[in-house]
Amino acid sequence: MKSGFWQKSLGLRPGDNWKKELIAGAVSYFSVVYIVMVNANILHDAGMPLKAAMIGTILTSIAGCLLMAFGGKSPIVVVPGMGINAFFTYTLVHSMNLGWEEALMVVAVTGVLFTIVTFTSLYRIISEAIPQNLQHGITVGIGLFLTFIGLQKSEIVIAHQTTFVTIGHFSDPSVIVACITLLLALVLFIRGIQGGLLISILAGTGLAYLLGAVKPAQQMESGHIFKQYGAIFGHLSWSGIGSLVFWIAVFLLLLIVVFENIGLIAAQTRMIERPENFKGSLRALSLTNIFAGIFGSSPVVAAAETTAGIAAGGRTGLTSLVSAVLFGATFFFIPLLAYIPDSAIAPILIVIGGLMVQNVKEMDFGDLTEAFPAFLIMVMIPFTYSIVDGMAFGFIAYPVVKLARGKGRDVSPVLYGIAALFVANFVLHALL
């Protein structure tokens, strides 16, 4: 690492230890590689071929880590985001009735707009226009939503004709596997074991086959994986671009990726004591979202697991470069990863959901005009099974309660505009 070119390109400074950077890159990779299986599983629910979705996830992660390495010069690992992938599948595709091809176009267009936002001061204007309680409420609501999805996919919670949901059957081997995997994941995570979620998935998979919990329907499609990938690479559909639903989806997705990433990247660049890397890192991530749509993946975020790599000594782009190389090596394991059952993956959704819910401690419950709209977002996202509808209730309620309290001037014009769009969306659906 004596080359001046590489030092400048990756942001290495005198005193940076390149050996620590290599180790940090490996730590970050093993901490977050579970995303390949989990994200592909969620994209599969949108109708995308599972193995092809794995390739799309890997390629997007490689592109994100490379852009972060050379553009952001930061040790931040970029991968498809948990919660946002749920928005892609269960809101854009299932609730808003977009095809997954149209949803990929939403991702790409959002990436273009996000790039424009990050290269101007718009990202600050948007972030400051939305109250912190609403931003945290979205994160908590998505966390509860992910938890509910994980409970459903693991069959720990099942449908019930009278009460809508009820506890599953503990005589079912898949439920037993899910519960044991969940407990193992919790123990490893709390103990701070590197790659604990990945270990839990692999252990749960072995247990599932041992107990016969793998269903025939879960056996994956045959054929060459890259031939299957041709079915999603670049398959963005323009068919819905003239519809209001499409642009509502773009607008909401833009809000989510802005909220998710500004806070994460700001925190991580502070951790490495290089806040000057913030803009470059945010711009690298915004560009990656364009590639996500092209490669066939849900939007990306700055992975929270980056903190594991930072703790291991990562300070520069070399860390994310190493992670990119290791993601490339993951291609060789796709045929094996495709046999991981839902009962081994679903518990990870529950754990991640629990982590996202921790944002509730950042919320202000002292003022009901701030607390109740955020509360509506938190409960309506999982109860309506739609991130858009959940956000709508909170964003509409916020200006209403502020006006009722005589604090209408506390609401930004941007927020009034967003509330009006949500009302228009409800009216449109009622008329159609």
Side-chain angles (χ1 to χ4, degrees):
M1 295 302 302
K2 294 181 180 179
S3 168
F5 170 78
W6 287 103
Q7 287 179 334
K8 184 177 180 180
S9 298
L10 297 171
L12 282 131
R13 300 176 180 176
D16 286 332
N17 189 324
W18 65 268
K19 292 181 180 179
K20 281 187 177 181
E21 299 283 336
L22 296 178
I23 294 171
V27 168
S28 293
Y29 166 79
F30 284 108
S31 297
V32 80
V33 68
Y34 70 86
I35 196 68
V36 175
M37 295 80 79
V38 177
N39 191 62
N41 196 269
I42 291 176
L43 295 180
H44 185 53
D45 284 350
M48 300 171 69
L50 183 64
K51 291 182 180 178
M54 286 186 181
I55 295 176
T57 300
I58 294 171
L59 286 175
T60 300
S61 300
I62 292 172
C65 289
L66 288 176
L67 283 168
M68 189 60 70
F70 294 101
K73 296 178 174 56
S74 298
I76 298 171
V77 177
V78 178
V79 295
M82 294 301 301
I84 301 183
N85 51 14
F87 180 87
F88 178 94
T89 293
Y90 305 109
T91 297
L92 297 187
V93 177
H94 291 183
S95 296
M96 302 180 78
N97 297 317
L98 297 174
W100 61 261
E101 298 91 343
E102 293 173 299
L104 289 178
M105 179 58 74
V106 169
V107 173
V109 171
T110 300
V112 172
L113 295 178
F114 190 21
T115 301
I116 294 171
V117 165
T118 59
F119 277 84
T120 64
S121 60
L122 285 173
Y123 72 89
R124 189 177 295 109
I125 295 172
I126 294 174
S127 180
E128 292 175 354
I130 311 301
Q132 288 294 312
N133 259 28
L134 294 188
Q135 294 188 35
H136 291 309
I138 293 169
T139 302
V140 173
I142 292 175
L144 292 172
F145 189 32
L146 276 180
T147 301
F148 188 41
I149 293 168
L151 291 170
Q152 284 184 307
K153 292 174 76 67
S154 63
E155 298 183 3
I156 294 175
V157 167
I158 58 176
H160 188 276
Q161 187 174 1
T162 305
T163 61
F164 296 105
V165 292
T166 189
I167 196 73
H169 303 293
F170 285 90
S171 58
D172 186 339
S174 64
V175 176
I176 296 172
V177 169
C179 290
I180 294 174
T181 304
L182 175 59
L183 292 174
L184 177 62
L186 283 172
V187 170
L188 294 180
F189 185 85
I190 290 172
R191 296 284 296 177
I193 304 300
Q194 298 295 343
L197 297 182
L198 174 63
I199 294 170
S200 302
I201 290 174
L202 297 178
T205 299
L207 183 61
Y209 280 92
L210 186 64
L211 297 182
V214 180
K215 300 174 183 178
Q218 291 178 251
Q219 300 302 321
M220 295 304 111
E221 62 272 8
S222 59
H224 195 279
I225 58 173
F226 285 99
K227 184 178 181 180
Q228 294 171 16
Y229 180 59
I232 70 170
F233 176 73
H235 277 238
L236 303 86
S237 174
W238 294 86
S239 60
I241 203 165
S243 69
L244 179 61
V245 171
F246 179 92
W247 289 105
I248 289 174
V250 168
F251 179 70
L252 294 176
L253 187 56
L254 179 62
L255 289 180
I256 293 172
V257 295
V258 169
F259 297 158
E260 286 280 324
N261 289 298
I262 288 178
L264 282 169
I265 292 179
Q268 290 164 357
T269 50
R270 283 197 301 268
M271 286 179 68
I272 61 174
E273 299 180 346
R274 299 180 186 186
E276 67 275 9
N277 289 1
F278 172 79
K279 281 190 177 180
S281 299
L282 190 63
R283 290 169 179 174
L285 191 140
S286 66
L287 289 168
T288 307
N289 275 296
I290 302 174
F291 288 105
I294 297 171
F295 289 147
S297 175
S298 51
V300 297
V301 298
E305 290 82 359
T306 293
T307 55
I310 292 174
R315 295 292 181 272
T316 73
L318 180 56
T319 294
S320 46
L321 176 60
V322 172
S323 296
V325 172
L326 291 174
F327 269 115
T330 311
F331 282 119
F332 296 105
F333 300 98
I334 287 178
L336 297 176
L337 299 180
Y339 286 93
I340 296 176
D342 283 349
S343 56
I345 292 177
I348 307 306
L349 300 181
I350 299 172
V351 173
I352 294 170
L355 296 176
M356 295 178 72
V357 168
Q358 290 184 94
N359 272 48
V360 74
K361 66 185 179 184
E362 305 294 333
M363 299 172 66
D364 174 19
F365 287 98
D367 181 353
L368 190 62
T369 64
E370 293 287 336
F372 196 78
F375 165 75
L376 284 177
I377 291 176
M378 289 188 289
V379 297
M380 294 303 288
I381 286 177
F383 288 164
T384 62
Y385 217 79
S386 169
I387 296 171
V388 168
D389 292 337
M391 289 174 62
F393 274 85
F395 276 77
I396 293 171
Y398 189 86
V400 171
V401 295
K402 286 293 184 181
L403 287 168
R405 183 62 72 85
K407 295 182 177 180
R409 292 184 178 180
D410 292 350
V411 183
S412 69
V414 173
L415 191 53
Y416 277 118
I418 294 173
L421 285 174
F422 277 125
V423 172
N425 184 45
F426 281 143
V427 172
L428 181 65
H429 278 286
L431 294 176
L432 294 178

